[in-house]
């Protein structure tokens, strides 16, 4: 990938076209141009059979220049760098600063292309493309242009599971401005691949990422919250903030949340966790992925040091839903 900087100090990430794709595009353009040239030549020969040899030679030279030289220049100028072959291969000719080309760029490319493509059968163009770091031929160097890829395959992103419902809004007061983009990327990659990792390796990775994230935010990981669930909740909070900045407050959001006030703390998180385990569809799927802790943080059992038998919501180990965040034995 080539990073270009425009006159407005804007960095553009462009993917220069490789030699095979450029050669295929040039070959397609040449096939079309030669077919048009042959058809025009036959028409001119038939219509000018009564002319003398000098006139026919002049017409042949004019046809060659107009069709094989002027044709590609006109096509690239009118299409802003997208000839038929480049459209078929997903390529485009742009200026060095990333802008669209004009007539002078197409003219220089076309005139030099006659020498390095037509007269040398593409040998000079191939050598120049191999030598250039961005795959540019001599016409691109003198014209100040670059052939880039327009169609870039989109990488398939993994699914980032949502946080458990009992952690919704728990980290709305965190300061996420000091978290670098590299750490966000590492956390997201872990969340998309955590089900494929060994449980012990995944747990250690989650602890390390949670420690790094907590160090950046200045707030330690809450007691009793699995590190993977903590990472998912913080990532969800960041995505929610970005969505609010981009689209404003959601129609169903409360005025207190829109004004920046902290969310209300539930009196009994254990009861909420119990109700979540009984909720079907999306809530049940989220609970199956993460699984709430036996004693949710902030509950009466956690503050008193032990839960009363009649208020305990602990689920037997055999009936508890599967989770990828159970610490190793």
């Amino acid at each position: 990938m080539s990073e270009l900087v425009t006159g407005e100090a804007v960095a553009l990430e462009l993917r220069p076209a490789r030699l095979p794709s450029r050669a295929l595009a040039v070959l397609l353009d040449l096939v079309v141009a030669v077919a048009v040239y042959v058809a025009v030549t036959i028409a001119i020969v038939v219509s000018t059979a009564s002319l003398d040899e000098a006139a026919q030679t002049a017409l042949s030279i004019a046809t060659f220049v107009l069709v094989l030289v002027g044709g590609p220049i006109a096509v690239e100028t009118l299409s802003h760098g997208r000839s038929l072959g480049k459209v078929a291969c997903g390529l485009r000719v742009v200026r060095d600063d990333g802008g669209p080309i004009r007539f002078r760029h197409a003219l220089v490319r076309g005139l030099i292309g006659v020498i390095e493509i037509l007269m040398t059968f593409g040998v000079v163009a191939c050598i120049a493309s191999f030598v250039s770091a961005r795959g540019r031929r001599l016409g691109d160097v003198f014209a100040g242009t670059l052939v880039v890829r327009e169609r870039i395959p989109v990488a398939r992103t993994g699914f980032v599971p949502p946080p458990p419902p009992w952690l919704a809004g728990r980290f709305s007061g965190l300061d996420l401005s000091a978290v670098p983009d590299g750490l966000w990327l590492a956390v997201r990659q872990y969340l998309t691949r955590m089900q494929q990792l060994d449980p012990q390796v995944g747990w250690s990775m989650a602890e390390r990422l949670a420690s790094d994230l907590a160090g950046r935010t200045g707030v330690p990981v809450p007691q009793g919250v699995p590190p993977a669930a903590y990472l998912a909740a913080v990532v969800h909070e960041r995505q929610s903030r970005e969505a609010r900045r981009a689209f404003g407050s959601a129609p169903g959001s409360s005025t207190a949340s829109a004004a920046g006030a902290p969310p209300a703390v539930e009196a009994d998180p254990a009861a909420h966790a119990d109700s979540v385990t009984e909720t079907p569809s999306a809530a049940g799927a989220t609970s199956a992925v993460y699984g709430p802790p036996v004693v949710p943080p902030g509950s009466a059992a956690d503050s008193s040091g032990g839960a009363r038998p009649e208020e305990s919501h602990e689920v037997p180990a055999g009936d508890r839903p599967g989770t990828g965040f159970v610490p190793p034995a």
Side-chain angles (χ1 to χ4, degrees):
M1 182 175 295
S2 175
E3 185 175 274
L4 305 178
V5 181
T6 65
E8 293 79 14
V10 178
L12 301 177
E13 291 184 349
L14 302 177
R15 291 181 178 267
R18 302 295 182 184
L19 181 59
S21 58
R22 293 191 60 178
L24 179 59
V26 171
L27 181 61
L28 294 177
D29 290 335
L30 286 178
V31 169
V32 175
V34 170
V36 174
Y37 174 72
V38 171
V40 173
T41 301
I42 294 175
I44 291 178
V45 169
V46 172
S47 61
T48 60
S50 59
L51 297 178
D52 57 1
E53 185 178 353
Q56 291 180 354
T57 303
L59 287 176
S60 300
I61 296 175
T63 302
F64 175 84
V65 173
L66 290 178
V67 175
L68 296 182
V69 180
I73 294 175
V75 170
E76 284 194 353
T77 302
L78 297 177
S79 63
H80 298 289
R82 301 183 68 197
S83 61
L84 295 179
K86 291 180 175 60
V87 170
C89 297
L91 307 180
R92 188 188 189 101
V93 183
V94 297
R95 300 196 307 260
D96 275 341
D97 59 356
I101 65 171
R102 299 185 179 182
F103 172 73
R104 61 184 180 88
H105 304 97
L107 178 62
V108 175
R109 281 174 49 84
L111 294 179
I112 299 180
V114 174
I115 300 175
E116 64 174 341
I117 295 179
L118 296 181
M119 294 186 176
T120 62
F121 301 98
V123 175
V124 175
C126 291
I127 295 175
S129 298
F130 275 121
V131 174
S132 175
R134 293 188 289 178
R136 302 199 301 175
R137 63 179 178 89
L138 295 181
D140 293 317
V141 174
F142 286 100
T145 57
L146 176 68
V147 181
V148 298
R149 296 169 54 190
E150 277 195 319
R151 292 197 298 264
I152 300 175
V154 179
R156 184 178 179 181
T157 58
F159 171 71
V160 178
W166 50 272
L167 283 179
R170 178 74 179 273
F171 305 103
S172 59
L174 285 181
D175 181 13
L176 305 178
S177 59
V179 181
D181 293 337
L183 182 55
W184 286 124
L185 179 61
V187 172
R188 181 179 178 85
Q189 289 178 345
Y190 166 75
L191 292 175
T192 57
R193 299 179 56 192
M194 57 187 177
Q195 300 295 340
Q196 305 172 6
L197 301 175
D198 179 78
Q200 186 172 1
V201 175
W203 184 268
S204 61
M205 290 180 60
E207 285 185 332
R208 185 172 65 254
L209 291 173
S211 177
D212 294 342
L213 190 58
R216 294 287 185 173
T217 59
V219 179
V221 181
Q223 192 83 16
V225 177
Y230 166 77
L231 295 175
V234 177
V235 169
H236 182 266
E237 176 62 28
R238 178 175 183 257
Q239 294 174 347
S240 300
R241 294 182 186 181
E242 292 179 350
R244 285 195 296 268
R245 283 196 299 266
F247 306 105
S249 300
S253 61
S254 62
T255 56
S257 299
V265 180
E266 296 187 11
D268 191 359
H272 180 67
D274 184 63
S275 63
V276 169
T277 56
E278 297 177 357
T279 305
S281 69
T286 305
S287 177
V289 172
Y290 289 97
V294 176
V295 181
S299 62
D302 183 51
S303 60
S304 61
R308 289 176 295 178
E310 63 273 14
E311 295 180 356
S312 175
H313 297 278
E314 182 177 356
V315 182
D319 300 330
R320 190 176 303 143
T323 172
F325 308 110
V326 178

